[in-house]
Amino acid sequence: MNMAALGCEVILVIEDDEAISSSIRQALELEGYYVVTAGDGKQGLELLNTIATPCLILLDLMLPIMNGWEFLEVIKRNHKHMLAAIPVVITSAAGDAAKGAAAKAQGYIKKPIDLDLLLFTVRKFCGEPPATR
Amino acid sequence: MGVASMMKEILDRTGKLSAPRAALLSLALFLVYFFSAIYGLKFGAVSGFATLIWPPAGIALAALVIFGNRLWPGIMLGAFLTNLAIGASWPVALCIASGNTLEAFTGAFLLRRAGFRNSFERLRDVFSFLILAAMLSTLVSATIGVTSLYLGGKLSEPYLATWLAWWLGDAGGDLLVAAFLLVWSTGLVLNKDVRRIAEIAGLGALVLLGSYFIFTDRLGSNEAVRFPRNYLIFPILMIVAARLGPRGVATSAFAITCFALGTTAMGFGRFWTGNLSESLFNAQIFLGVLVISKLVLAAAIAERRAQQAELFKGNAQREAVLNAAIDGIITIDHRGRITEFNPAAERIFGYEQSETLGKELASLLIPSKLRDILAKYLEMGKGAVLGQRLEISALRKNGTEFPIELSVLPLQMEGPPLFTGFIEDISEKKSAEQEKRRIEAGEGFLAEVTSILSSSIDYRTTLRNAARAAVPKLGDLCVIQVIDEEGAVLATEYGCSAQEKENLLQEGISHFLAKPGGPTFIAEAIRTRKSRLMRDPSGSALSAIPVENSLRELISNLGIRSLMVSPLLFHERTLGAIALSSFSAERRYNERDLLLHEEFARRAAIALENARLFKEAQEAIFSRDEFLSIASHELKTPLTSLSLQLQILRRNFQKSISAMEKTGVEAFETVPVSVKLAKSVEGCEAQSKRLAGLLDELLDLTRIRLGRLELSRERIDLVKVVTDAVDRFKAEASQKGIAITVQSLPSIIGYWDRIRTEQIVSSLLSNALKYGEGKPISVSVVKGEAGCTAELSVIDHGMGISEEMQRKIFERFERLGVSGRKIAGLGLGLYITRQITEAHGGRVFVSSKVGEGSQFTVELPLELLLTAGLPNLAARGPSSESKSVG
């Protein structure tokens, strides 16, 4: 709450493809959100220890080192540090394979990502970007 | 010959003589009768009428027996005139004549009744002649004649003496004259055998000379010969009886009578006592005894000779039958010893008759294992054995066994029973039968093999089937080895009918078949592309090709008695080889079997090649689908960032344009430029979306093809899914000026895959928009009539679909051909819709009229999914998912 009060709403994007990752960052930053990116699930978990609790995690499934399913499994079991409470939206091209994970997460955005849907989803979990407030 | 044939002609007409002929013969008879009577009466007639020898009685009897009763007038007249001539009054003469005639009648009648034959060759002929004719019939004449004399007052001597003289005279006439005449009446067959003629002549001379010397006193009154030498005639007549039969005896007796009576009547000779009557009586008794005994002897001998001849004829016939019989005929006595072995049996068994007689049948001709069976068969006894045909193996002299058909006929004669066996060698028949059965079995076998081989298209299964197809019909062990194009062994498969040989085979397979080249004969068949037949692989045939000792050992351990191997050929290629072997000595393969085996190999090769091609094709399709799946997935990654960038660009343009419009600060002409750029960015974005859609279709298709279309069912409201989708299409619809109306229940809840259900609705809506020609679209979501399905219908009023197309649109790569207009997509939308619907257990169908529009309806089951869907949800896990995406 204090982070939100400080105007430091962070969105964690876990995506191994550099181009996609930077496109999402670009799109969200243009709207005024703060974006942190990780290349794999493990890195994502490490970041969760160092940064402020994000208002949303955008999670790709097919990742090196620690994949999306494993990452989801870990944070959804972590109630101690309130990680389980963080909303997760899956971004994947995997179709059927993504659906299981999507059921455990708070949403699913199919790749290629529809920008309107993305912004709609982010707004839903993180509110209006700080820049426009 | 003339005389004989004439006699025969007369004889043949006996009893049916024509009247003139009868009259003529009667006249002749009268003359003979009359003169012989007159002459006979000169010999010591008793009372002047009763003679001691009365030839006319014999003549009369013989005439009636030979020529029939119609000759009686001859007798009557002869007797009447004779008696008149010697001084009888006509009534007495008539009575005597009647008696004489009646005598002849009676004698002839009785003889006919007794079945008398003139030849005197049977004892019954001799006895019936003696008793019925000589003794009985003569009573008639004697009684009537003497009584007539007595009544006529002509009887000068005592009645009884006269009667006895009359009776004996007539009897003598019958014995000595009638017998002679009758015996010659049977005709004369001239014997051309010189020795026989000589014998007859010799014996005739002996009789004449013997009679001359015995019955005359030509030997003088020499003391040395003054013994009752008339008995010497007996041995002479015995010889005659033995050699010349009744005819010889009767003729000789006639000749002797002439001598004896002649000399006596002339007052000398052996019987002359000084009194004529007494001498004649003596002579007559002697002659009667002589002729009776010799006739009996001759008849007995003749009868016996006839029986012997009959027997000989029977034996000769039997012998002829035995010799000519096609069947082997063997007779055994009650101890099983051979007593008869005919030429056919010699041919069949290869033994000479002399080698078999007296030997035991069972140990000579029957294989040891069957001896008990045969013994039991014979023990069954007469009734059970008779008429049965038994198929049994027999043994030839050279030791070979062969099948025979045997029927046994028990011969119950005097003494212990004999058995006669009739034997047919049926080995040829049998082998022809077997051959026929073999051919039929072969045809049946190929039909069966073909159906077994075509039962599967899977390569391994086909290989296994091929190895088992021929067992046990054509062999006991079938080994198939297949090689690749480089000649390396791909696989070895075998089928075996004997379970107990499994271990040996496993060992054999690992030892020989797995290594390159395999066993020599299979390698050889593969190398030469030629079939090979080994009738006796454990013997010499195998040594013809170099084979390892251990293989030879395996072959003999397995008990392989016969072996065939054929290459598996498919056009220019050699796929391998197939070896078939038999464990049974009875199934030795021949050339015909090899032909069958080659045909089997040909069919197996085709089946294997088909299965291989199918496998290759399947593998190719799988890799293609796999590649498409990966490729479409990989293409999505750059497409994602590309489309995101385009969207950002478009959004920025929109933002800056609206900002410019708000403020109006910037230069006047920048706005239209920005608007133009924004337009082209939008175009890029639409194309990237289209690209994404194509990739989605492709991905779904490959997923369906690879069987990876998985549903994650959850409790969803179909009505909400539909209304959300309609909302998403609203913008596009209003752009085209199309109104979409939704008619639905408040909610329809079911366990369905949310994303896939959305996909169905989107697919149907986008089709309706695409083909609806700008006319209104109505959507309905209701429950099916039975209440157990949800029904989603999307109705457009566009161009419609022809009936032909309606059948095809749910297939892959089908879409409505619209002339002059390109419609985006791979044409997979409805195919995927159908696959998703069917995966849910539902169905999709279309009803349409060209020019009026189409209605697509999807039915999804409501209830079923509660049970079918939940385990599906529970079973899902991250690891399995990561795999399937791989």
Side-chain angles (χ1 to χ4, degrees), chain A residues 17 19-20 23-24 26-27 30-31 62 69 93-94 96-97 99-100 108 110-115 119 123, chain B residues 633 636-637 640-641 643-645 647-648 651-652 655 692 696 703 709-710 712 753 755-756 878 881 885:
Chain A
D17 187 272
I20 295 173
S23 296
I24 294 173
Q26 201 183 341
L30 269 171
E31 297 300 313
M62 278 177 285
W69 291 280
D96 288 348
K99 287 185 292 181
Y108 168 61
K110 204 178 106 188
K111 283 178 181 169
I113 295 164
D114 183 84
L115 184 58
L119 295 178
R123 216 169 276 126
Chain B
H633 194 263
K636 271 194 170 182
T637 309
T640 299
S641 52
S643 82
L644 212 48
Q645 289 293 336
Q647 289 177 78
I648 293 165
R651 193 174 168 78
N652 283 344
K655 266 189 185 168
D696 272 342
R703 220 173 257 143
L709 182 72
E710 287 175 22
S712 51
D753 184 312
I755 294 166
R756 289 299 180 192
E881 280 163 13
V885 173

Side-chain angles (χ1 to χ4, degrees), chain B residues 189-215:
Chain B
V189 177
L190 284 183
N191 201 322
K192 291 198 175 104
D193 183 359
V194 180
R195 278 189 298 183
R196 181 71 176 160
I197 294 168
E199 186 182 28
I200 293 168
L203 284 171
L206 185 62
V207 168
L208 289 175
L209 285 172
S211 304
Y212 178 75
F213 285 113
I214 291 165
F215 298 114

Side-chain angles (χ1 to χ4, degrees), chain B residues 365-625:
Chain B
L365 304 177
I366 306 295
S368 51
K369 60 187 176 189
L370 294 173
R371 282 170 201 167
D372 288 349
I373 297 174
L374 186 76
K376 279 202 189 106
Y377 179 71
L378 291 178
E379 261 171 40
M380 288 197 297
K382 211 172 167 183
V385 174
L386 192 74
Q388 282 196 21
R389 291 182 87 78
L390 179 71
E391 259 188 55
I392 192 172
S393 281
L395 218 51
R396 278 191 234 274
K397 191 182 182 183
N398 62 16
T400 54
E401 260 185 49
F402 68 106
I404 59 166
E405 197 167 76
L406 168 73
S407 58
V408 176
L409 181 68
L411 295 175
Q412 191 74 55
M413 301 209 289
E414 287 160 43
L418 294 176
F419 297 95
T420 296
F422 299 87
I423 291 147
E424 192 188 347
D425 181 350
I426 55 169
S427 47
E428 271 178 30
K429 218 202 275 180
K430 258 268 184 341
S431 61
E433 227 170 75
Q434 273 175 350
E435 196 57 44
K436 194 178 160 219
R437 264 208 296 272
R438 252 187 169 166
I439 290 167
E440 281 170 1
E443 283 163 3
F445 166 74
L446 284 177
E448 198 184 304
V449 158
T450 308
S451 98
I452 290 173
L453 287 175
S454 57
S455 68
S456 172
I457 191 70
D458 178 62
Y459 187 77
R460 279 312 301 202
T461 312
T462 303
L463 190 60
R464 247 196 319 273
N465 284 347
R468 282 159 182 68
V471 175
K473 280 271 167 67
L474 193 58
D476 299 299
L477 171 65
C478 180
V479 176
I480 297 186
Q481 190 163 73
V482 283
I483 55 168
D484 65 14
E485 273 157 15
E486 274 78 46
V489 175
L490 271 180
T492 302
E493 193 65 61
Y494 68 88
C496 182
S497 65
Q499 284 283 319
E500 71 275 5
K501 298 193 171 156
E502 198 67 19
N503 285 340
L504 266 174
L505 278 170
Q506 290 285 359
E507 201 180 297
I509 296 282
S510 58
H511 194 250
F512 295 105
L513 299 179
K515 74 177 184 185
T520 320
F521 48 88
I522 286 184
E524 193 205 43
I526 290 173
R527 188 171 51 76
T528 61
R529 291 167 60 90
K530 291 240 161 58
S531 296
R532 192 182 182 104
L533 172 66
M534 283 173 257
R535 278 175 228 272
D536 187 9
S538 53
S540 54
L542 201 59
S543 51
I545 51 169
V547 164
E548 308 94 307
N549 279 333
S550 43
L551 177 59
R552 198 164 295 167
E553 207 173 289
L554 178 69
I555 283 172
S556 84
N557 284 346
L558 281 170
I560 291 175
R561 308 291 287 266
S562 188
L563 193 145
M564 310 184 270
V565 56
S566 287
L568 292 164
L569 301 177
F570 191 84
H571 298 295
E572 305 308 306
R573 293 184 51 211
T574 307
L575 311 179
I578 182 162
L580 197 57
S581 54
S582 162
F583 295 158
S584 143
E586 275 143 44
R587 181 155 60 192
R588 286 260 158 86
Y589 295 134
N590 58 23
E591 274 71 21
R592 211 160 270 170
D593 291 316
L594 187 65
L595 285 178
L596 194 60
H597 182 56
E598 281 174 343
E599 183 57 28
F600 166 50
R602 198 179 68 80
R603 294 182 190 204
I606 291 169
L608 283 170
E609 185 62 8
N610 281 344
R612 194 187 65 80
L613 289 173
F614 181 74
K615 192 175 142 206
E616 270 186 14
Q618 272 202 317
E619 281 168 359
I621 290 168
F622 184 82
S623 8
R624 184 201 70 194
D625 287 345

Side-chain angles (χ1 to χ4, degrees), chain A residues 33-51:
Chain A
Y33 295 102
Y34 296 106
V35 175
V36 180
T37 60
D40 61 78
K42 194 161 168 277
Q43 208 183 345
L45 279 178
E46 285 163 7
L47 276 174
L48 281 176
N49 290 330
T50 56
I51 61 163

